[in-house]
Amino acid sequence: MAFRRTLGVVATLLAAGCSLGAQVTVPPAGLPGEMPAEFKVASESWDHARREVMIPMRDGVKLRTIILVPKGAREAPILLTRTPYNAAEQTGHAASPHLGPVLQGYDNVADLIVEGGYIRVIQDIRGKYGSEGEYVMNRPLRGPLNPSAVDHSTDTYDTIDWLVKHLPESNGRVGILGISYDGFLPLMALVDPHPALKAAVPMNPMVDGWRGDDWFHHGAFRAQNLSYIYEQQATRGNDLKWWSGYHDDYDLFLQAGSTGALAKSHGMEQLGFWRKLTEHPAYDAFWQQQAMDRVLAARTLTVPTLLVHSLYDAEDIYGALAVWKALKPKDAGHHLVYLAMGPWSHGGEIGEGSGLGPLRFGQDTALQFRREILKPFLDQYLKGAGKADLPSVSAFETGTNTWRRLPAWPVAGEGTAVRATPFYLEAGLKVSTTAPKAADAPYEEYVSDPAKPVPFRARPIQPVGYDPSHTWPQWLTDDQREPSGRTDVVAFVSEPLKAPLRIAGEPVANLVASTSGTDSDWVVKVIDVYPDEVANQPPMGGYQLMVSADIFRGRYRESVETPKALKSGEPLVYRFALPAANHVFLPGHRVMVQVQSSWFPLYDRNPQTFVPNIFFAQPGDYRPATQRIYHTPGQASCVELPVVK
């Protein structure tokens, strides 16, 4: 019992913090954190108020929306952009209390917004960054391709409805604008638009992913866009970055084999959009039903729309003009549809526009667009200002570096006409408006080897990108002298011009060609060759500037919906439109037409052996082929240029 009593005393002493021969440490109380549960930014001195809200859609999904309201705003119009590219980033380009630096960058016309006193609203579309819901690339309208009750049209309607009811500083007028994917979304807003939507400005919009925008051109897949698809769909916040292991994209894509093999090596079979691409390599209902020019052609037009097109757009050079063709016939009063086209890269109209690559325009064409075209348009429809003095078409003419006010497109001005004029590819690698003669050699010949495809630009080839170290945005202005010297490229050239040659519209390639294979790609480039010496800009001596160029996948010669093997060795006609140009070949310059059968790795390699699906071509399918371009009286190859008379 005494022993037990002793243990009890020891236990009591220990509990009291005492010890027998050793010091017992009592654990301290928890160290309090130094961060508040929610930090309130001291923004009283800022020139704008920043609000972040979750706007509910009709199906209950909430979309993160960032609203920037200028201090003291009253009766201010709203400029809305919807984006998959992170609303927080697009409203946080600088750590500044001033609205201008905050917005200076993609996808904002910062100078116009600040000077105009607009309420700026940018929203993450469903499934991306801070918004709820599921992401679908270019989510189609409700219907056969979208069995749900929501699409970008309904989301825009619901967003605008919320904004005009919850922003007391606004005048109830909303404009929507944006570039690329952000330019596709204003087109969706035109489908059953909200009554408060008073203006739309789709800039360089994604319109038809198969015919000539992001995913295919005339059936040839734009392989370098794999990185975009990977980063856009792998995670909600674009957290996973495309990896390469190569300095030169040419090596990356060539060593991988097929585009499908490269995608598989990156785990892209997990991505829904990639699976859809591989399931729909032809122009089937999947592409036709979501082409926005087709969609809008079937709708009533009620919202004034300014379409913006870049003549050197490396990504969406098809879309804006396709929508123009679809909408302008519906504009009986000539007050709803306007077109502006300038000498810009993709999205270059919101930046500095005095030059591109080696080209110099003698003026800031982008600033002129914003001040003299975009501002008056928005002032009229969002601020109720007087009628803007805008022509139907404001088009910059390269070569002469002149803005032209046009009543329509393609029209080069009052009292002029545009006529399709054949420029024949002749024996001796000549270009002439004279048809070939029977005594001439019948064709030019080259060997196209998929193991050594023609690079689309000088190597090493950079990935697609817009950071300052990347020259991707300007590649359409690259010098074409390097490919013109290859044995697998044929270059036809005219005599020096004695008078200006003006073109306005789409050149049309009309090739009569044969291949020893059973499938083939055909690349046609219309080029302005500068004089051998240019006194005021010596590096431009002999420069070969692309004016218009595109690729056509031979298997779609008879039908874009149903691919078919080519008859080996048989001359066949391949007729396809090239991107629009508004250009003057000056006296002393020459017209060149280059023809080749690969444009790599911008476009995937054609194995030149017909296979059901080129995405999954096997190594043994890729074979060299002998290509012939014919120029005889009965088989005359030419490019029809839209010549202004």
Side-chain angles (χ1 to χ4, degrees), residues 479-543:
D479 195 340
Q480 298 300 303
R481 273 181 285 203
E482 184 170 338
S484 71
R486 288 179 58 116
T487 58
D488 50 1
V489 177
V490 287
F492 302 83
V493 65
S494 74
E495 294 295 323
L497 298 172
K498 295 180 180 179
L501 173 66
R502 295 179 64 194
I503 63 173
E506 294 178 350
V508 176
N510 196 86
L511 288 186
V512 181
S514 68
T515 177
S516 63
T518 52
D519 198 0
S520 179
D521 287 349
W522 304 102
V523 178
V524 175
K525 298 182 282 188
V526 176
I527 293 167
D528 183 342
V529 182
Y530 281 59
D532 293 331
E533 286 189 305
V534 177
N536 63 349
Q537 197 177 357
M540 295 301 291
Y543 202 90

Side-chain angles (χ1 to χ4, degrees), residues 445-449 452-455 483 485-490 595-598 627:
E445 181 177 285
Y446 62 94
V447 175
S448 172
D449 186 353
K452 298 179 180 179
V454 181
R486 288 179 58 116
T487 58
D488 50 1
V489 177
V490 287
V595 182
Q596 59 201 57
S597 293
S598 53
Q627 317 287 73

Side-chain angles (χ1 to χ4, degrees), residues 271-579:
L271 307 180
F273 183 64
W274 171 246
R275 295 197 300 271
K276 290 176 183 176
L277 282 171
T278 61
E279 292 164 3
H280 301 280
Y283 196 57
D284 57 14
F286 174 79
W287 297 110
Q288 294 175 25
Q289 291 177 13
Q290 60 182 300
M292 289 307 299
D293 55 333
R294 291 182 174 221
V295 168
L296 293 174
R299 301 281 174 158
T300 300
L301 178 65
T302 59
V303 178
T305 301
L306 171 61
L307 294 158
V308 184
H309 173 71
S310 293
L311 292 165
Y312 299 102
D313 192 328
E315 296 179 39
D316 295 304
I317 202 166
Y318 176 86
L321 294 180
V323 174
W324 166 264
K325 293 177 187 176
L327 292 186
K328 193 58 183 176
K330 306 162 78 71
D331 185 16
H334 301 289
H335 65 280
L336 286 177
V337 185
Y338 300 87
L339 172 66
M341 64 171 71
W344 312 306
S345 61
H346 187 68
E349 60 270 28
I350 69 169
E352 201 278 333
S354 61
L356 183 65
L359 303 182
R360 298 293 174 265
F361 307 126
Q363 55 202 292
D364 188 339
T365 60
L367 181 62
Q368 290 168 338
F369 158 74
R370 296 194 299 272
R371 286 183 174 175
E372 300 171 18
I373 300 170
L374 181 57
K375 182 181 184 301
F377 175 80
L378 294 178
D379 283 351
Q380 177 179 343
Y381 293 108
L382 298 183
K383 294 186 174 183
K387 179 174 173 54
D389 180 25
L390 294 179
S392 290
V393 179
S394 303
F396 191 84
E397 183 179 80
T398 54
T400 61
N401 294 337
T402 304
W403 279 102
R404 294 192 177 274
R405 295 167 58 90
L406 307 177
W409 177 260
V411 170
E414 298 289 356
T416 64
V418 176
R419 297 176 184 170
T421 304
F423 280 67
Y424 293 99
L425 312 185
E426 295 188 334
L429 298 175
K430 296 179 181 178
V431 170
S432 171
T433 54
T434 304
K437 301 177 179 62
D440 294 338
Y443 55 78
E444 306 296 335
E445 181 177 285
Y446 62 94
V447 175
S448 172
D449 186 353
K452 298 179 180 179
V454 181
F456 80 97
R457 65 183 315 194
R459 298 177 61 186
I461 293 175
Q462 296 176 321
V464 177
Y466 284 88
D467 68 57
S469 66
H470 283 206
T471 58
W472 158 261
Q474 66 192 43
W475 85 263
L476 285 174
T477 66
D478 284 356
D479 195 340
Q480 298 300 303
R481 273 181 285 203
E482 184 170 338
S484 71
R486 288 179 58 116
T487 58
D488 50 1
V489 177
V490 287
F492 302 83
V493 65
S494 74
E495 294 295 323
L497 298 172
K498 295 180 180 179
L501 173 66
R502 295 179 64 194
I503 63 173
E506 294 178 350
V508 176
N510 196 86
L511 288 186
V512 181
S514 68
T515 177
S516 63
T518 52
D519 198 0
S520 179
D521 287 349
W522 304 102
V523 178
V524 175
K525 298 182 282 188
V526 176
I527 293 167
D528 183 342
V529 182
Y530 281 59
D532 293 331
E533 286 189 305
V534 177
N536 63 349
Q537 197 177 357
M540 295 301 291
Y543 202 90
Q544 295 181 10
L545 174 69
M546 277 196 304
V547 174
S548 181
D550 218 338
I551 187 170
F552 183 89
R553 183 140 286 175
R555 60 175 50 209
Y556 299 111
R557 188 186 76 88
E558 295 184 22
S559 169
V560 295
E561 299 177 52
T562 307
K564 184 178 180 181
L566 304 177
K567 294 181 180 179
S568 180
E570 182 172 328
L572 301 170
V573 176
Y574 300 89
R575 185 176 174 84
F576 56 100
L578 307 182

